[in-house]
């Protein structure tokens, strides 16, 4: 295949990718622009790299997955991020979600329990000149108290309930988006809005994520 045909094919796949996002309910213009700017390709390696522009979750290292793009888009949209926001992500994974957040927020902190994933994600952030992301190896269930409070928190692993330490690190007026439910069953994607009078919950849709685990991953 010639380079020209290859470029045309890639452009077509990217156009179909954005169309799939819109058809699944990702309609926020800033989110769509961020997802157009951040190519999913570099975040998907090896055997599955050919499927980077399909709307499906794919395996990555350490037994983890890169989320389905439409779910990434819906979670990002639900956060309603403003350009001044400081965002905490629990579960760096491939780094794809953090890269999209970096196009929307002032500052992104992302945590993963697997050192290898953090190291690989940092390398991609460097290549893409995403210098507003701080990626750390840590136990995400404790959050990042040193940098709290956060305007927005996103958790890309399923907990039985929104973790108390993370809710405590969310600013009043802030939003948290996460999947909740037992790890071996269908989970619900929820949005938590922290108000002066308490917590408001919105249930968004059924999803399936890896479980939120305590401690650091074994390398």
């Amino acid at each position: 295949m010639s380079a020209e045909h290859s470029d045309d094919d890639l452009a077509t796949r990217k156009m179909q990718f954005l169309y799939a996002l819109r058809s699944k309910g990702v309609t926020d213009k800033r989110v769509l622009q961020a997802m157009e700017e951040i190519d999913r390709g570099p975040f998907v390696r090896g055997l599955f790299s050919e499927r980077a522009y399909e709307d499906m979750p794919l395996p990555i290292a350490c037994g983890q997955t890169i989320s389905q793009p439409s779910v990434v888009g819906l979670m990002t949209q639900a956060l309603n991020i403003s350009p001044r926001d400081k965002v905490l992500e629990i579960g760096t994974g491939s780094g794809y979600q953090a890269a999209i957040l970096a196009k929307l927020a002032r500052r992104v902190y992302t945590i993963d329990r697997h050192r290898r994933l953090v190291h690989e994600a940092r390398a991609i952030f460097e290549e893409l000149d995403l210098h507003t992301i701080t990626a750390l190896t840590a136990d995400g269930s404790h959050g990042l108290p040193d940098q709290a409070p956060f305007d927005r928190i996103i958790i890309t692993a399923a907990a039985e309930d929104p973790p108390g330490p993370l809710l405590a690190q969310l600013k009043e007026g802030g939003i948290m988006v996460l999947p909740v439910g037992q790890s071996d069953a269908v989970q619900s994607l929820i949005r938590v809005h922290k108000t002066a009078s308490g917590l408001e919950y919105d249930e968004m849709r059924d999803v399936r994520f890896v479980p939120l685990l305590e401690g650091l991953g074994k390398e």
Side-chain angles (χ1 to χ4, degrees):
M1 184 184 285
S2 72
E4 191 178 330
H5 277 121
S6 177
D7 288 347
D8 287 348
D9 182 48
L10 189 59
T12 301
R13 283 160 74 194
K14 286 185 177 179
M15 210 160 65
Q16 289 168 342
F17 175 80
L18 291 168
Y19 178 76
L21 293 175
R22 289 190 191 95
S23 69
K24 296 281 179 66
V26 183
T27 54
D28 184 291
K29 285 181 182 174
R30 288 182 69 232
V31 174
L32 286 168
Q33 186 179 342
M35 295 188 77
E36 186 173 7
E37 288 175 16
I38 298 295
D39 190 342
R40 193 177 185 231
F43 298 92
V44 183
R45 305 192 175 189
L47 294 171
F48 296 96
S49 56
E50 282 295 306
R51 311 187 79 169
Y53 304 104
E54 294 179 27
D55 190 33
M56 62 188 299
L58 295 168
I60 58 170
C62 304
Q64 305 300 297
T65 55
I66 179 171
S67 296
Q68 191 174 336
S70 59
V71 172
V72 170
L74 290 168
M75 290 180 80
T76 306
Q77 184 170 272
L79 285 169
N80 192 24
I81 297 168
S82 86
R84 296 178 61 83
D85 284 346
K86 182 167 73 169
V87 182
L88 173 64
E89 179 193 31
I90 306 300
T92 309
S94 68
Y96 179 59
Q97 174 73 77
I100 289 163
L101 296 172
K103 289 288 181 181
L104 301 166
R106 174 175 60 87
R107 188 86 210 162
V108 177
Y109 291 86
T110 181
I111 297 175
D112 203 285
R113 61 196 295 269
H114 295 284
R115 194 174 304 279
R116 176 184 170 184
L117 294 180
V118 170
H119 180 74
E120 290 179 358
R122 276 186 191 147
I124 301 175
F125 301 152
E126 192 69 34
E127 283 170 27
L128 299 178
D129 285 330
L130 297 173
H131 300 300
T132 57
I133 304 174
T134 300
L136 303 163
T137 306
D139 181 345
S141 62
H142 299 306
L144 205 55
D146 289 355
Q147 296 296 335
F150 295 94
D151 301 288
R152 303 288 186 266
I153 297 177
I154 180 170
I155 306 176
T156 58
E160 287 189 32
D161 296 294
L166 296 177
L167 287 171
Q169 291 171 37
L170 186 64
K171 261 185 193 172
E172 188 178 301
I175 295 170
M176 179 189 289
V177 173
L178 76 159
V180 294
Q182 299 292 342
S183 60
D184 56 351
V186 174
Q187 305 139 0
S188 291
L189 190 61
I190 66 165
R191 174 171 48 200
V192 185
H193 189 209
K194 190 173 188 177
T195 71
S197 55
L199 300 169
E200 296 174 359
Y201 296 87
D202 295 313
E203 200 166 311
M204 295 166 58
R205 54 167 283 172
D206 291 343
V207 286
R208 193 176 279 266
F209 278 81
V210 296
L212 181 67
L213 300 173
E214 290 191 9
L216 297 182
K218 290 177 182 168
E219 298 306 316

